Amino acid sequence: MFENLSLEKTFQFLLIILAFLIPLTVFGVNLIIVIICILWLISGNYKSKFNLIVNSKVLISSFIFFLLHVIGLIWTEDLDWGLHIVHKMWYFLLLYPILYTLTKKEYIKYYISAFLLAILLTEAASYLIWFELIEPFKNATIQNPTPFMSHISYNPILAFAIYLVLYEIFLNNNLKKIQKFLYIIFAIIMIINMFITGGRAGQVIFLVMLCILIFQYFNSQNFKALVVMTLVLTSAIFTAYQTSTIFQIRINSVITDIQNYDVNKNTSVGMRLTFAANSWEIIMKNPIIGAGTGDFPIEYKRVNLIKNPQIPNTDNPHNMYILILVQLGLIGLISFLSIFYYQIKFSLLSKNIFSRNVGMTLPLLFLVLMLSDSYLLGHFTSLFFIFFSSFLHKDFERN
């Protein structure tokens, strides 16, 4: 795409480093992103870049979604918080299109390999902490050994990494025996790690991922896929419940929290249900355009003081769809969902099997994941989503 071949190689080298750093460090990732953005802005060939961007319906949807956040500042009461939200959404305006114009089909295997190598390192650190061979560091504890990020972000990213490895094992017919053996060991290590950490959302996504992978493996044999999926899910849940203390505790706590919601709302699940109920009150007042980009904390506090004063206020309902509905109404939600619609549509029409399957899995997992938290506001998960989207939903024929 660029006339300067050495600059092109520099971009690819930086992208591989970025893929490696995504699960490991905020500072390192931000440094690489700054370098990539500066080089991109001064690298020229702007017409080609512009044409590539405007011909992507996914990117256009991403632009519109960001623009709605800016427009939503007009009627917001809390401009400072609104600008904070807009800042968190900048990936959709700038980083996504930049990465989209830079990623190359022939380098995808290197991006993924670098990412999986980083996951391998996180696994090693996690097990060393869990077995008490090293002292916990950064975010990790012995009970929840996720050093480089919180378990809230770690487990969903780990679930997708497991998917990538299982995909190679079951759907890559060109994999050599030794490679398949190593991937199987890697997958087992990651799956065990999934259930010794406390990320319930990631564990749910892991189960959803298994369902998707089974249907992809059996292709059009839906009945056989359904039977296998039922057996695998039943076995996975039973095994995890019987062998993982933390998984058993978290499942039991969910059941208890739901059963005792009317008595005790100050629980993890109870507060989420309260967040949703209070947010619905706000949504009903501003169903079309929302309360404004920065007004969730203010509006929520007003409702909460009346309905549930004993429950702490929040600036995040722990549900991406509810947050967008409160801020930007139905218009914002439709805009947001259009990004995933065009990603899924692109994947369905893709002639490349890998892009079709993996490109379909990424948005589907996030659509489920965002029911439990605002994952596209978090650094690790939002960057992870944008980076993989930049090449999984790209028409390389336009390069």
Side-chain angles (χ1 to χ4, degrees):
M1 180 176 176
F2 302 103
E3 295 179 1
N4 191 332
L5 188 59
S6 62
L7 181 59
E8 171 61 25
K9 288 184 177 180
T10 300
F11 277 127
Q12 298 312 314
F13 179 68
L14 290 170
L15 289 173
I16 292 168
I17 294 176
L18 179 61
F20 175 76
L21 294 178
I22 285 174
L24 299 177
T25 168
V26 174
F27 174 79
V29 159
N30 288 339
L31 179 61
I32 296 299
I33 287 175
V34 168
I35 295 172
I36 288 174
C37 290
I38 292 173
L39 287 177
W40 187 86
L41 288 171
I42 64 175
S43 61
N45 209 359
Y46 303 115
K47 184 177 179 180
S48 178
K49 293 174 183 175
F50 177 78
N51 289 336
L52 195 60
I53 291 168
V54 297
N55 280 295
S56 168
K57 291 181 179 179
V58 176
L59 286 182
I60 297 301
S61 299
S62 177
F63 283 145
I64 293 172
F65 179 59
F66 177 85
L67 184 61
L68 286 176
H69 281 81
V70 176
I71 295 173
L73 294 174
I74 296 172
W75 59 89
T76 192
E77 290 185 45
D78 190 343
L79 185 60
D80 287 341
W81 189 256
L83 291 172
H84 170 73
I85 295 296
V86 169
H87 175 259
K88 280 184 170 291
M89 289 291 166
W90 81 274
Y91 285 165
F92 289 93
L93 173 71
L94 185 59
L95 186 61
Y96 195 177
I98 287 178
L99 294 180
Y100 183 87
T101 60
L102 295 178
T103 51
K104 295 290 183 180
K105 184 177 181 179
E106 58 268 28
Y107 284 91
I108 290 176
K109 59 183 178 181
Y110 299 111
Y111 307 150
I112 293 176
S113 296
F115 169 74
L116 291 178
L117 177 60
I119 294 295
L120 181 61
L121 293 178
T122 66
E123 296 295 297
S126 182
Y127 277 110
L128 288 172
I129 293 168
W130 193 60
F131 285 115
E132 299 185 49
L133 297 175
I134 63 173
E135 289 293 319
F137 61 96
K138 295 187 73 173
N139 297 294
T141 63
I142 294 173
Q143 293 75 27
N144 205 1
T146 57
F148 301 108
M149 66 185 88
S150 75
H151 63 272
I152 295 172
S153 299
Y154 174 71
N155 280 44
I157 292 175
L158 178 61
F160 192 76
I162 295 172
Y163 168 79
L164 291 173
V165 173
L166 292 179
Y167 185 90
E168 289 296 304
I169 293 170
F170 291 105
L171 293 171
N172 185 355
N173 296 324
N174 297 320
L175 206 63
K176 296 178 181 179
K177 288 184 178 180
I178 183 63
Q179 291 176 310
K180 181 169 288 192
F181 173 76
L182 292 174
Y183 272 132
I184 289 172
I185 298 299
F186 189 19
I188 292 171
I189 291 171
M190 287 193 291
I191 291 170
I192 293 173
N193 191 243
M194 171 67 68
F195 293 98
I196 65 172
T197 53
R200 281 182 298 201
Q203 292 163 357
V204 170
I205 289 302
F206 168 76
L207 297 175
V208 173
M209 174 274 294
L210 286 180
C211 296
I212 295 171
L213 183 66
I214 289 168
F215 274 94
Q216 290 175 348
Y217 179 77
F218 286 103
N219 202 356
S220 59
Q221 303 175 57
N222 292 334
F223 178 75
K224 187 179 290 186
L226 190 61
V227 172
V228 173
M229 181 187 73
T230 303
L231 292 173
V232 169
L233 283 184
T234 303
S235 301
I237 294 171
F238 177 80
T239 302
Y241 188 83
Q242 294 298 323
T243 59
S244 172
T245 302
I246 192 168
F247 181 74
Q248 187 179 112
I249 292 172
R250 298 304 292 272
I251 292 296
N252 290 343
S253 70
V254 169
I255 296 171
T256 304
D257 291 352
I258 293 173
Q259 290 174 339
N260 298 316
Y261 175 67
D262 292 332
V263 179
N264 182 16
K265 297 180 180 180
N266 274 305
T267 63
S268 176
V269 175
M271 285 193 289
R272 277 177 163 80
L273 292 174
T274 302
F275 295 159
N278 289 347
S279 297
W280 187 249
E281 295 284 329
I282 308 169
I283 294 167
M284 287 297 94
K285 295 177 183 177
N286 310 276
I288 306 301
I289 62 172
T293 303
D295 279 8
F296 181 88
I298 291 176
E299 295 292 341
Y300 185 87
K301 184 177 181 180
R302 289 170 180 165
V303 174
N304 197 51
L305 285 174
I306 298 171
K307 297 179 69 67
N308 301 283
Q310 75 281 11
I311 304 295
N313 294 313
T314 184
D315 55 24
N316 186 341
H318 294 274
N319 182 303
M320 194 78 190
Y321 307 109
I322 291 175
L323 179 64
I324 292 170
L325 274 170
V326 169
Q327 294 178 157
L328 303 173
L330 280 172
I331 292 176
L333 183 62
I334 291 170
S335 172
F336 180 59
L337 292 177
S338 70
I339 299 172
F340 297 87
Y341 168 78
Y342 284 116
Q343 286 185 334
I344 291 171
K345 184 178 180 181
F346 177 89
S347 300
L348 287 172
L349 298 175
S350 177
K351 296 178 182 179
N352 182 278
I353 296 175
F354 180 84
S355 295
R356 183 164 65 245
N357 288 331
V358 183
M360 174 71 72
T361 301
L362 181 68
L364 288 178
L365 291 183
F366 265 84
L367 284 170
V368 176
L369 183 64
M370 290 182 297
L371 290 168
S372 65
D373 214 329
S374 304
Y375 276 95
L376 290 184
L377 289 181
H379 168 84
F380 288 102
T381 46
S382 57
L383 178 58
F384 164 77
F385 176 77
I386 292 297
F387 180 79
F388 274 85
S389 296
S390 70
F391 59 83
L392 289 176
H393 307 111
K394 177 176 178 178
D395 184 359
F396 288 99
E397 299 303 318
R398 291 186 181 275
N399 268 355

